[in-house]
Amino acid sequence: MNLHLVLLAPIVASVLTLFLSRRDSASTLRATMLLSLVVAGISLVPLFGGETTTELRTWLRPMGNLSIRWGLASDGFSAWLVALTGILVPVSIATARGQVGERLREFAAAVFFMQAGLVGVFLSVDLLQFYGFFEVILLPATILIAMFGGRDRRRVALLFLLFSLAGSIPLFVSIWWMAAEAVRTQVPLSLDLESVRLFLLTVDPQVRFWLFAAASVAFLVKLPVVPLHLWQADAYSEGPAAGSALLTGVMAKVGLYGFIRIVVPLFPVESALHAKFFVVLGLVTMLSGALIALRQREVRRVLAFSSLSHLGLGLAALFTFRPEALAGVVVLVVAHGLSASALFFLAGIAEGWSRSRHIDDFGSLARRSPLFAVLFALFALASVGIPGTAGFVAEFLMLFSLWKVFGVWVALVAGSTLVFSAAYTLRLVQKMLYGTSHASEDSASQMPALEATVVIPLVVALVAFGFLPGPLLKAGRADLLTRLPSAQAKVVEDASHAAAR
Amino acid sequence: MTNLLWLLPVLPAAGFAINGLLALAGSRRGEGPDRGIVGFLAVLFPVLSFLLTVALWWNLSEATEMVRGQSELLGVKLQAPAFAQTMGDWIRVGDLSISFGFRFDKLTGIMLLFVTGIGSLIHLYSIGYMANDRGFARYMAYLNLFLANMVVLVLGDGPVVTFLGWEGVGLCSYLLIGFWHHDESNGSAATKAFLVNRVGDLGFLVGVFLLWQIMGPGSSLTYEAISAWFRDPAHLQQLAMPGVATLLTLSTVFLFVGCTGKSAQIPLLTWLPDAMAGPTPVSALIHAATMVTSGVFLLARMADVFVAAPFTLHLIAWVGALTAAWAAVTGLFQHDIKKVLAYSTVSQLGFMFLAAGVGAFDAGLFHVFTHAFFKAVLFLGAGSVIHALSGEQDIRRMGGLVRKLPVTFAAMFAGWYAIVGLPLGAGFWSKDMILERVYVHGGIGLYAIALGSAVVTAVYMTRMMILVFWSPSRVDHEVAHHIHESPPSMQIPLWILGVGALSVGFLWADMIHLDWFSRQLSDVVGAAQASLAGDAPGHGPSPWLLASFGVTAAVVGILVAFGLFRSGYFRENGREPMDYRARWWMLAFDGLHTLVGIWPATVVSWVLDTWIQPLLMGLLRIFAWLVEVAGSTLRLLQRSRLRTNMALSVLGLALLLLFLARELL
Amino acid sequence: MIFLPTQSLILAGVLFAIGLATVLVKRNLFFVLMGVELMLNAANLSFVAWSRTFTGSAGLDGQVAPLFSIAVAAAEACVGLAMLLAIFRSKETLDTDRFDRMKE
């Protein structure tokens, strides 16, 4: 199956959504749900295709010896990310009902657009193509925050946009520099990842370090890591919960993906040299996120710092370069993607009931809506990493690799996440689900059937992967960091360009 | 038969699933789902598990006998049989190859017999105890889930599979302690339990990693492989090398930390007394009979590893002894009947660890076994008392209940008789076995502490019995009217366990040469113990002499208790002696945790949130301010007055022309 | 020797300066427009002055360009005066210092 279909599907869905009726919200909901399920189905196909690559077509030839290619490639890891995105979109649209009201159409269009961008990121083969999609994601994400957010949304949307742009500009400059260098030295260069990797081997190591740093910054802002995380808590908290769920569930993973697909394969020497720096950075992020989360008074801020913490550990583990770590990161990406976003979805529903984001304004949700409480508790436990959920497999593998490479004390520091994550998560659970109700008795606080139906498969998946993580472990194969999926792609020279030469 | 092992955890898990769904489905209705169905299912699955365990045990015993016969015939030591079943791969990547494996040998069998057996009884008891609770189905679901996890813990064929159950029971403990969740303090207790356990779990994991390192990469991490590795003389050479020895000590210490978390020993014991916030059957099952004994179980399971690390064993022995002593003293100050029993549990667990620490793993396990019976009966009896007194838990407001609650009294009497170690009770056999071994292998210091703890045990247990039963009634009048004996569903387990408390001791009554229990365990822990016993004096004093010390200790304690609490001292004051200073003693370890863990975390958290975050945001704002300043400055060029604008434009044009002219000429 | 139309250029320069000064100093919109006209004519004068220096088509350019310029200036003056009328009708004043709607 042509991967372009996977990319086109959400784009088409986005456009179609704009033609839906604005007034009839029921039919809009049905239509968007249908579209999202179809797109989700298409997104799942790459999982079964093994490694596939479309042809690399030469897209642009700005200068004689510089060519920018276009191609899509999927291997195990990308396929899972694409599938994750696909699965989360229907849930997002379904749970957004309470938050966006009449504007579901616009919301869905923005979400589909973001999905397209994300799919593009995960399947891109060319560096500039990747960058394009990477930046494109920012547009719908900002729209989501600015259009559907809370009171402070303008400021937060701007903060998010400017921060992310500032972070990715160094990457763009690096690409530009490489192109300029190629033109200057008359070396033929095409910007697909494999060629860039080979080109970088010829670059002066001093310069290459700066390129490495520039590329890393973009993804460090995306993850994010401390101290580049300032945009995150506000953005996740101020935007619509269903949108923030996608931000934490998939967009943040682009950060990890960027390291795995671009930074480490293109800069193997620098990555190995500076691995310790990234491990320390990751662990500091993990600890900071956990400790700050303990003090937060808004539900989604707790969850935001929780994400910070979990992904920080992922970054640290990644830079051990062990096969167990890679597998662990893959499992983390899927497990955290499912559990963190589900918690956001549910938080959004709860916030709709109590009209407040403050953790003290909930209370006794277990009594008022048992189904909600069960689901929330299950996802919370999954994020804490109870054995039997995929989160445990991820944490176990990551801890193991950190111990293997760096010894007992690092493992203990990293392992403290076991205790801290339990601390802030259980605090959240206690405040939201248990205790006595501080909110007014609201009879409208029953978990709606549609939202429950779309959320339940997520928890089933989490438990299933907890016991049978095999497919995920296979996706994290050992040469993930060294062999690029486009390495063996067939390059198609455009006839007109070939003639012009 | 061996391919039915998977049913053992799956049966109660099925109970969890079904009861859970029933609970959810019935959550809308006023009364919840039908108690009859739920109760029946909730008891059915554990009972099925128990029956299967019995069947497996039977088969295993036969197989063992056969092998023993063959051994004798061939004159060769054949390996003891065990049932094993692997359900498939769990985590397989890189150097790791972990499968879902189960192993049923004698040790597993014994543990499972009382876990599923007493578990079933407590499920039955719960039907009566929780009958009026709105969350009946949810409770039963959680209890079933707990049993499933406990089975996995015991049945796992390697530390990682055990860990699955290990954390699982921790989770169920959390769910059940905080069961009455409308009261936030229950939630706090539950969270505390979970977090303290988690600290231990981290130690467990790191200990396992280090063990892996010792055994070499790529080794399969099953108990079988571990035991085989550590029994291999060639490896013992390896272990003698200083680097490896340190590694082993570190590994075993971390594993022990895990045990202290789960079994509430120093320093991770603060959660257990708070755990009494949960329903009493939960306290009986989880916090007395089964979950808390997981630590001792783990030590026995990995006995071969621990005997190779003498430092750790010393540590374990001393920690056990000190915990036993500390908890016993603390138990004296408690007014809540469940708290008395909680500290008693901690103290008895200390005895079990003490036994393990001096290499008497089988004695420790025997005490686990007998303790399960008498502690469970004490808890269930306490539950019966609380139930009868409409929820009263303060022993200062009890008294005179002998005639009013005869069955409960009889059961608790049996439990009391056993725990203080009066002759021929279960505790007499197991505790004295431990004391004997401590005397022989552990030295006089440990023995003195242990014996002292035994005395104090007798004191506080007798105090409890006196205040609850043998003293004039101080029961509130309103409550007194409603005193009634428990329903049959609660009484049956009391009867069974009470009889057990008095009789199971005879499974290993060493002095009259009944040693069925120790023979069962010889295959598992025998080798480990033998390797230790080498350096012990050949002959200790006569067991009867030591036993008499034990009985004397008990009697002394009883007399002291009667003296202090029956007569005048107490009646005059109306309130107890040694009241307020107790708080410092009791909360010593909470204070330690606060100092070492909670305060640093709170401080760092506060610094990060109040200072660093705003600082970073401030940096960002400075940057934004700079941009704004630049913008404002440039904006000065944009004047509102037309004339000024034009003048500036002309000026700019003139400069440009000047510049160009200079370039061109 | 090349002919340099010095006096004409000086005159053009002076006219330009006067025009510029008028534009910048005068507040009345009328005078601003007049100043602009003056500057345009100064430029035309300079064009014509230089046409004497160049021969051939370049020289003729110097005389043709002002013709265009005058035409355009006239059109511009019309538009400018029309706008001035409109401004006066809406603002009752022609004082440019009072036209400050475009500030921050």
Side-chain angles (χ1 to χ4, degrees):
Chain A
M1 178 198 124
N2 197 333
L3 287 172
H4 285 100
L5 214 64
V6 183
L7 181 59
L8 268 173
I11 298 177
V12 168
S14 180
V15 171
L16 283 179
T17 314
L18 290 170
F19 287 107
L20 293 174
S21 151
R22 175 182 279 248
R23 265 169 292 123
D24 185 359
S25 47
S27 82
T28 308
L29 180 66
R30 279 199 297 268
T32 49
M33 282 302 295
L34 187 63
L35 276 174
S36 63
L37 287 170
V38 168
V39 173
I42 297 177
S43 312
L44 289 175
V45 174
L47 274 180
F48 304 103
E51 265 195 43
T52 50
T53 317
T54 65
E55 299 165 341
L56 294 182
R57 308 189 121 265
T58 303
W59 178 35
L60 290 175
R61 277 188 167 273
M63 303 268 179
N65 54 348
L66 181 69
S67 62
I68 300 168
R69 299 237 164 98
W70 170 279
L72 300 176
S74 125
D75 64 0
F77 188 36
S78 324
W80 277 108
L81 282 163
V82 168
L84 180 68
T85 317
I87 291 177
L88 288 178
V89 167
V91 188
S92 172
I93 294 176
T95 52
R97 259 198 308 178
Q99 296 147 40
V100 303
E102 294 286 299
R103 296 177 296 169
L104 187 64
R105 184 183 71 164
E106 285 84 355
F107 180 84
V111 166
F112 281 128
F113 185 8
M114 190 156 80
Q115 181 179 14
L118 287 164
V119 168
V121 164
F122 296 133
L123 296 179
S124 284
V125 150
D126 180 281
L127 192 55
L128 200 60
Q129 178 192 11
F130 174 89
Y131 183 76
F133 281 112
F134 186 72
E135 293 292 272
V136 150
I137 298 172
L138 291 179
L139 196 59
T142 316
I143 290 176
L144 282 175
I145 299 177
M147 260 185 88
F148 303 100
R151 241 174 306 168
D152 207 10
R153 60 184 185 272
R154 299 256 156 72
R155 175 189 74 88
V156 171
L158 206 59
L159 176 67
F160 165 69
L161 182 63
L162 291 178
F163 212 115
S164 307
L165 280 175
S168 47
I169 282 178
L171 176 59
F172 183 61
V173 169
S174 315
I175 299 176
W176 171 84
W177 183 91
M178 282 194 285
E181 187 69 11
V183 171
R184 187 177 70 83
T185 57
Q186 306 284 24
V187 170
L189 170 68
S190 66
L191 282 176
D192 61 278
L193 290 173
E194 182 62 21
S195 312
V196 171
R197 186 178 73 86
L198 292 169
F199 175 75
L200 282 170
L201 293 174
T202 68
V203 171
D204 172 37
Q206 289 276 28
V207 180
R208 202 166 58 202
F209 168 76
W210 288 109
L211 294 178
F212 166 72
S216 305
V217 167
F219 302 116
L220 289 177
V221 169
K222 214 31 140 218
L223 253 178
V225 297
V226 167
L228 301 170
H229 65 289
L230 301 167
W231 60 270
Q232 187 196 34
D234 286 336
Y236 287 4
S237 162
E238 197 68 30
S244 300
L246 287 175
L247 292 186
T248 186
V250 196
M251 195 190 77
K253 310 299 188 294
V254 172
L256 279 175
Y257 180 81
F259 275 106
I260 292 180
R261 188 64 85 209
I262 297 192
V263 175
V264 178
L266 294 185
F267 301 94
V269 175
E270 285 78 11
S271 302
L273 224 56
H274 301 279
K276 285 213 190 101
F277 170 74
F278 283 99
V279 170
V280 169
L281 192 61
L283 289 177
V284 166
T285 306
M286 183 198 86
L287 285 172
S288 312
L291 289 171
I292 299 179
L294 281 170
R295 286 182 58 96
Q296 293 309 306
R297 318 240 58 188
E298 286 186 23
V299 178
R300 283 197 270 149
R301 287 185 80 89
V302 175
L303 293 176
F305 284 104
S306 162
S307 279
L308 186 65
S309 185
H310 283 120
L311 295 180
L313 181 62
L315 182 68
L318 181 62
F319 274 84
T320 61
F321 304 128
R322 284 196 65 93
E324 296 93 359
L326 287 176
V329 168
V330 173
V331 179
L332 174 74
V333 161
V334 173
H336 182 264
L338 291 172
S339 66
S341 40
L343 284 171
F344 270 94
F345 290 136
L346 291 175
I349 296 176
E351 286 174 7
W353 293 334
S354 58
R355 311 234 155 270
S356 155
R357 290 192 234 150
H358 205 272
I359 45 175
D360 288 328
D361 292 336
F362 295 89
S364 80
L365 279 175
R367 196 166 42 80
R368 292 191 280 151
S369 177
L371 180 57
F372 176 89
V374 167
L375 289 171
F376 193 87
L378 278 171
F379 285 113
L381 290 171
S383 92
V384 165
I386 293 278
T389 63
F392 168 72
V393 178
E395 271 182 11
F396 181 77
L397 288 169
M398 293 193 290
L399 277 177
F400 177 78
S401 345
L402 281 168
W403 164 76
K404 207 78 205 284
V405 176
F406 293 106
V408 179
W409 302 110
V410 170
L412 280 174
V413 168
S416 64
T417 185
L418 284 177
V419 180
F420 288 129
S421 65
Y424 62 71
T425 310
L426 287 183
R427 169 177 173 262
L428 184 66
V429 166
Q430 287 293 131
K431 291 263 188 196
M432 283 190 70
L433 301 183
Y434 302 138
T436 49
S437 172
H438 297 269
S440 57
E441 270 302 323
D442 197 358
S443 61
S445 53
Q446 286 301 313
M447 181 89 177
L450 174 65
E451 279 84 329
T453 319
V454 289
V455 159
I456 286 177
L458 299 182
V459 76
V460 170
L462 275 170
V463 174
F465 284 133
F467 286 102
L468 300 164
L472 289 173
L473 296 177
K474 263 204 300 244
R477 46 164 229 276
D479 61 351
L480 195 60
L481 289 178
T482 50
R483 192 170 74 82
L484 290 164
S486 62
Q488 280 131 20
K490 191 171 68 134
V491 179
V492 170
E493 288 288 343
D494 213 339
S496 58
H497 286 153
R501 276 217 287 172
Chain B
M1 200 86 215
T2 192
N3 51 6
L4 291 178
L5 286 181
W6 65 277
L7 273 178
L8 284 171
V10 166
L11 282 169
F16 159 69
I18 299 177
N19 281 327
L21 286 172
L22 283 174
L24 262 183
S27 57
R28 297 280 181 94
R29 290 173 37 192
E31 263 310 299
D34 181 43
R35 314 246 159 159
I37 299 179
V38 170
F40 173 72
L41 287 173
V43 175
L44 174 69
F45 287 107
V47 167
L48 286 177
S49 254
F50 174 67
L51 293 175
L52 183 58
T53 309
V54 171
L56 283 165
W57 176 268
W58 208 254
N59 267 317
L60 187 62
S61 298
E62 282 183 356
T64 315
E65 277 311 306
M66 228 164 40
V67 168
R68 196 159 297 176
Q70 286 175 343
S71 285
E72 281 170 15
L73 211 58
L74 299 172
V76 167
K77 182 98 171 66
L78 290 173
Q79 214 195 18
F83 297 140
Q85 183 180 21
T86 310
M87 303 291 301
D89 281 337
W90 189 11
I91 300 176
R92 173 172 246 144
V93 63
D95 284 345
L96 291 173
S97 179
I98 303 169
S99 326
F100 279 121
F102 297 131
R103 180 185 171 79
F104 188 101
D105 61 9
K106 284 302 178 66
L107 174 59
T108 322
I110 287 184
M111 293 289 298
L112 278 182
L113 278 175
F114 78 79
V115 163
T116 53
I118 299 186
S120 305
L121 286 174
I122 295 185
H123 277 78
L124 178 63
Y125 180 95
S126 300
I127 294 182
Y129 192 83
M130 302 291 288
N132 293 325
D133 198 298
R134 173 67 180 78
F136 184 78
R138 180 168 59 101
Y139 171 90
M140 287 304 182
Y142 289 162
L143 211 61
N144 277 336
L145 182 65
F146 167 80
L147 201 63
N149 276 302
M150 190 69 207
V151 170
V152 169
L153 196 164
V154 173
L155 202 52
D157 74 346
V160 188
V161 182
T162 295
F163 191 72
L164 174 59
W166 189 274
E167 285 236 310
V169 295
L171 168 68
C172 295
S173 178
Y174 167 78
L175 291 172
L176 285 164
I177 295 173
F179 180 71
W180 289 308
H181 52 69
H182 51 80
D183 185 349
E184 284 170 13
S185 61
N186 294 341
S188 308
T191 311
K192 179 176 177 181
F194 192 81
L195 288 178
V196 175
N197 260 248
R198 265 251 156 155
V199 174
D201 296 346
L202 176 58
F204 186 109
L205 274 183
V206 174
V208 170
F209 290 157
L210 288 171
L211 194 62
W212 226 319
Q213 186 173 354
I214 296 173
M215 288 172 58
S219 37
S220 148
L221 213 58
T222 60
Y223 292 125
E224 204 180 335
I226 295 174
S227 294
W229 197 95
F230 276 87
R231 288 185 196 177
D232 187 342
H235 293 141
L236 292 177
Q237 291 273 24
Q238 239 182 313
L239 291 172
M241 300 191 311
V244 185
T246 325
L247 211 58
L248 181 64
T249 309
L250 211 56
S251 167
T252 46
V253 167
F254 274 117
L255 284 170
F256 177 57
V257 168
C259 295
T260 60
K262 202 54 101 189
S263 301
Q265 298 293 291
I266 292 172
L268 294 176
L269 47 70
T270 52
W271 63 273
L272 191 55
D274 286 33
M276 295 301 112
T280 310
V282 168
S283 308
L285 181 59
I286 300 184
H287 306 126
T290 50
M291 180 177 106
V292 292
T293 56
S294 312
V296 186
F297 164 75
L298 192 73
L299 286 185
R301 245 288 168 253
M302 306 227 266
D304 297 293
V305 179
F306 281 93
V307 297
F311 172 77
T312 315
L313 280 184
H314 281 318
L315 180 69
I316 295 176
W318 278 95
V319 168
L322 291 172
T323 309
W326 179 88
V329 173
T330 320
L332 277 176
F333 304 143
Q334 301 306 314
H335 301 307
D336 183 327
I337 191 174
K338 288 180 64 175
K339 290 257 172 78
V340 176
L341 293 175
Y343 283 102
S344 167
T345 306
V346 174
S347 181
Q348 295 302 307
L349 286 167
F351 272 100
M352 298 174 213
F353 277 98
L354 173 59
V358 299
F361 297 100
D362 50 1
L365 281 170
F366 188 49
H367 200 55
V368 167
F369 189 73
T370 58
H371 175 267
F373 282 89
F374 59 70
K375 193 44 69 59
V377 80
L378 282 169
F379 262 110
L380 293 186
S384 186
V385 169
I386 297 171
H387 180 93
L389 296 181
S390 316
E392 178 62 69
Q393 289 184 214
D394 191 327
I395 53 180
R396 294 175 293 184
R397 287 197 277 273
M398 297 184 186
L401 294 175
V402 180
R403 259 177 271 273
K404 303 244 180 92
L405 301 173
V407 175
T408 307
F409 170 70
M412 289 193 76
F413 182 85
W416 167 82
Y417 189 89
I419 194 174
V420 299
L422 286 171
L424 304 184
F428 169 73
W429 297 111
S430 62
K431 204 191 300 190
D432 278 358
M433 171 64 58
I434 294 179
L435 288 173
E436 181 194 325
R437 294 287 190 87
V438 170
Y439 186 90
V440 173
H441 296 286
I444 200 74
L446 284 172
Y447 182 76
I449 298 177
L451 198 62
S453 307
V455 173
V456 181
T457 305
V459 176
Y460 72 71
M461 285 310 295
T462 313
R463 165 182 174 264
M464 186 193 83
M465 290 299 282
I466 293 174
L467 290 178
V468 175
F469 294 109
W470 294 319
S471 56
S473 171
R474 300 171 302 288
V475 178
D476 190 58
H477 286 300
E478 266 308 302
V479 171
H481 284 309
H482 299 285
I483 296 183
H484 56 282
E485 187 58 270
S486 313
S489 60
M490 285 166 69
Q491 283 193 31
I492 296 174
L494 283 176
W495 279 109
I496 299 179
L497 290 172
V499 168
L502 292 175
S503 57
V504 294
F506 290 100
L507 285 174
W508 189 7
D510 207 48
M511 292 182 284
I512 49 180
H513 303 294
L514 293 173
D515 65 347
W516 176 88
F517 193 89
S518 86
R519 272 189 293 122
Q520 303 307 312
L521 290 178
S522 62
D523 295 319
V524 182
V525 299
Q529 292 183 187
S531 71
L532 264 189
D535 41 304
H539 249 339
S542 151
W544 289 104
L545 184 62
L546 288 174
S548 69
F549 284 161
V551 173
T552 316
V555 170
V556 166
I558 296 174
L559 289 176
V560 168
F562 270 100
L564 278 179
F565 301 111
R566 190 81 200 271
S567 56
Y569 212 170
F570 167 70
R571 256 194 288 225
E572 282 170 33
N573 303 350
R575 123 192 130 86
E576 299 236 346
M578 11 174 212
D579 216 314
Y580 48 90
R581 272 161 301 174
R583 284 201 76 80
W584 293 103
W585 179 268
M586 195 166 81
L587 296 175
F589 289 103
D590 284 276
L592 184 68
H593 288 178
T594 312
L595 200 65
V596 171
I598 300 182
W599 272 354
T602 313
V603 166
V604 176
S605 176
W606 174 79
V607 166
L608 281 173
D609 191 41
T610 322
W611 295 94
I612 311 270
Q613 275 277 97
L615 182 73
L616 290 174
M617 278 301 236
L619 282 175
L620 199 63
R621 290 222 176 85
I622 290 180
F623 189 66
W625 174 81
L626 281 172
V627 172
E628 211 185 305
V629 161
S632 306
T633 315
L634 284 173
R635 210 213 292 145
L636 288 174
L637 288 174
Q638 171 130 342
R639 312 301 279 166
S640 57
R641 276 203 337 195
L642 188 62
R643 293 193 290 147
T644 325
N645 262 320
M646 287 199 288
L648 286 170
S649 308
V650 168
L651 190 64
L653 186 62
L655 283 171
L656 206 62
L657 285 173
L658 219 70
F659 185 69
L660 266 174
R662 194 168 293 180
E663 278 294 310
L664 287 174
L665 303 173
Chain C
M1 188 161 103
I2 303 180
F3 174 72
L4 284 174
T6 344
Q7 287 123 331
S8 309
L9 285 176
I10 291 175
L11 178 60
V14 167
L15 281 177
F16 189 88
I18 293 174
L20 183 60
T22 313
V23 166
L24 293 180
V25 168
K26 279 307 214 177
R27 291 212 305 222
N28 192 315
L29 206 51
F30 259 126
F31 284 102
V32 173
L33 283 173
M34 287 202 285
V36 172
E37 288 296 313
L38 202 52
M39 283 198 285
L40 276 167
N41 282 307
N44 289 342
L45 182 58
S46 132
F47 261 116
V48 170
W50 278 105
S51 80
R52 184 102 190 267
T53 312
F54 297 98
T55 51
S57 67
L60 283 176
D61 284 341
Q63 298 182 33
V64 169
L67 284 178
F68 281 110
S69 176
I70 289 169
V72 171
E76 171 255 318
C78 286
V79 174
L81 286 169
M83 284 206 288
L84 187 144
L85 274 176
I87 288 173
F88 182 68
R89 262 192 224 132
S90 89
K91 290 214 139 219
E92 301 282 310
T93 178
L94 287 177
D95 183 350
T96 57
D97 281 353
R98 304 266 281 273
F99 301 157
D100 57 5
R101 283 277 190 85
M102 255 185 66
K103 73 174 177 180
E104 47 267 274

